[in-house]
Amino acid sequence: MMNVIWLDTIDSTNSEALRRLPELESGTVLAAREQTAGRGQRGNTWFTEPGKNLTFSIVLKYGEGGLPPLPAKDAFWLNYVISVAVADFLQSHAIWCKVKWPNDVYVGKNKICGILIENALTGNGLAASVIGIGLNINQREFPQLANATSLWSLTGEEHPLEECLEKVLALIDGWLPYLQDQDKRQTLFSHYSRRLFNLDVNARYHDYIEEREYTGKIKGVSEDGRLMIWDLETPGKPIRYYRFKEVGYII
Ligand code: BTN
């Protein structure tokens, strides 16, 4: 069960959750009506109109009083839990979304949700995770962003933020136990994989390891959380495996 704390304005719910991490219990959610310095992946800024969208962070702790322990090497499963829960939320509004690995949620060519997970480690296990989610709900225009959309843009209806948050949290709560055992992970994995953005489609990719661009086809995600891209430009057409930040999409 999650316990939601609404804040009127804060720099970033992720930053606030990290600052207050020692005192916050597992399952605490900090939700902001306005973020003044919302953070995105790769040091980007997350812009949203105040009062229009969901911007919140979930604190999870592992071990006593929290979730069962999770080895750091399995942290990527959290991406799948959140992506699949957000996908279910959108599906409940008759919207079919795709997940741009590891965890951007797209409807068509437009991004509707961004996820920023920050973990605290102890040894080789996770001590806590701060899961930041920015989900566009009622915003109608995105002046700074070329490829963004919202629930309003897709349904033509306004949706109360509190209700949307409750619904998303309930779905996340439902998927969290799927982290635990191998069989459940398979189910979670297949729900995630079938929504992979660009699956089996020819597209351009930037390989940050070799610093080159090429045409390839996403073939899936490996069991250890790496993105598999079939390199169509290299003789022998090898499949390349990428960890987070090792590959970029050229859109
Ligand atoms: C991304 O796609 O780049 C990730 C965006 C994550 C945005 C959310 S909004 C709530 C939480 N607080 C932040 O500062 N960022 C995350």
Side-chain angles (χ1 to χ4, degrees):
M1 274 310 290
M2 312 251 188
N3 172 33
V4 180
I5 301 170
W6 277 97
L7 307 167
D8 277 336
T9 174
I10 196 79
D11 52 349
S12 143
T13 56
N14 264 43
S15 303
E16 178 72 353
L18 288 169
R19 287 190 292 262
R20 290 169 58 180
L21 198 54
E23 82 201 52
L24 296 177
E25 279 180 25
S26 187
T28 306
V29 178
L30 300 182
R33 304 206 184 273
E34 176 180 17
Q35 281 192 140
T36 54
R39 295 190 287 114
Q41 305 274 2
R42 298 181 191 84
N44 288 330
T45 304
W46 184 256
F47 293 106
T48 59
E49 228 177 284
K52 296 284 185 188
N53 301 321
L54 284 178
T55 48
F56 63 100
S57 301
I58 304 169
V59 172
L60 295 180
K61 292 186 174 179
Y62 306 88
E64 227 171 289
L67 298 177
L70 190 66
K73 67 170 179 48
D74 289 349
F76 67 89
W77 286 102
L78 283 171
N79 293 330
Y80 298 179
V81 165
I82 305 301
S83 310
V84 165
V86 169
D88 284 353
F89 169 76
L90 293 172
Q91 186 111 41
S92 75
H93 292 278
I95 294 165
W96 178 262
C97 67
K98 296 268 178 133
V99 185
K100 192 158 146 268
W101 180 90
N103 54 16
D104 289 337
V105 182
Y106 274 70
V107 181
K109 291 229 169 286
N110 299 318
K111 181 159 162 175
I112 192 164
C113 177
I115 299 164
L116 178 66
I117 302 181
E118 298 180 291
N119 295 314
L121 305 175
T122 52
N124 51 11
L126 294 188
S129 300
V130 170
I131 300 173
I133 302 175
L135 176 56
N136 298 335
I137 305 287
N138 293 324
Q139 188 164 335
R140 299 187 179 199
E141 280 157 32
F142 296 87
Q144 301 102 322
L145 305 163
N147 298 307
T149 191
S150 66
L151 193 55
W152 180 86
S153 309
L154 297 163
T155 62
E157 285 166 13
E158 294 241 347
H159 297 270
L161 296 182
E162 292 79 2
E163 268 172 41
C164 290
L165 180 57
E166 288 305 323
K167 213 157 141 186
V168 175
L169 292 176
L171 290 162
I172 292 173
D173 235 0
W175 278 106
L176 274 173
Y178 284 76
L179 284 176
Q180 297 326 321
D181 72 65
Q182 222 32 60
D183 280 359
K184 286 188 161 162
R185 281 186 185 183
Q186 274 314 315
T187 308
L188 173 60
F189 183 72
S190 67
H191 277 255
Y192 177 85
S193 305
R194 72 197 177 112
R195 291 186 181 268
L196 261 188
F197 183 85
N198 271 1
L199 185 68
D200 275 323
V201 172
N202 281 16
R204 299 284 293 167
Y205 295 95
H206 187 119
D207 181 320
Y208 289 107
I209 306 166
E210 296 181 1
E211 276 306 337
R212 62 183 269 267
E213 288 185 6
Y214 68 96
T215 299
K217 246 185 208 187
I218 291 183
K219 295 310 290 178
V221 177
S222 66
E223 292 284 313
D224 63 354
R226 290 181 296 168
L227 184 66
M228 301 189 284
I229 305 180
W230 194 21
D231 178 347
L232 299 172
E233 286 182 10
T234 303
K237 295 186 178 154
I239 300 243
R240 304 194 179 274
Y241 289 74
Y242 296 103
R243 291 185 200 289
F244 192 38
K245 292 185 182 156
E246 293 177 345
V247 68
Y249 300 70
I250 302 168
I251 299 191

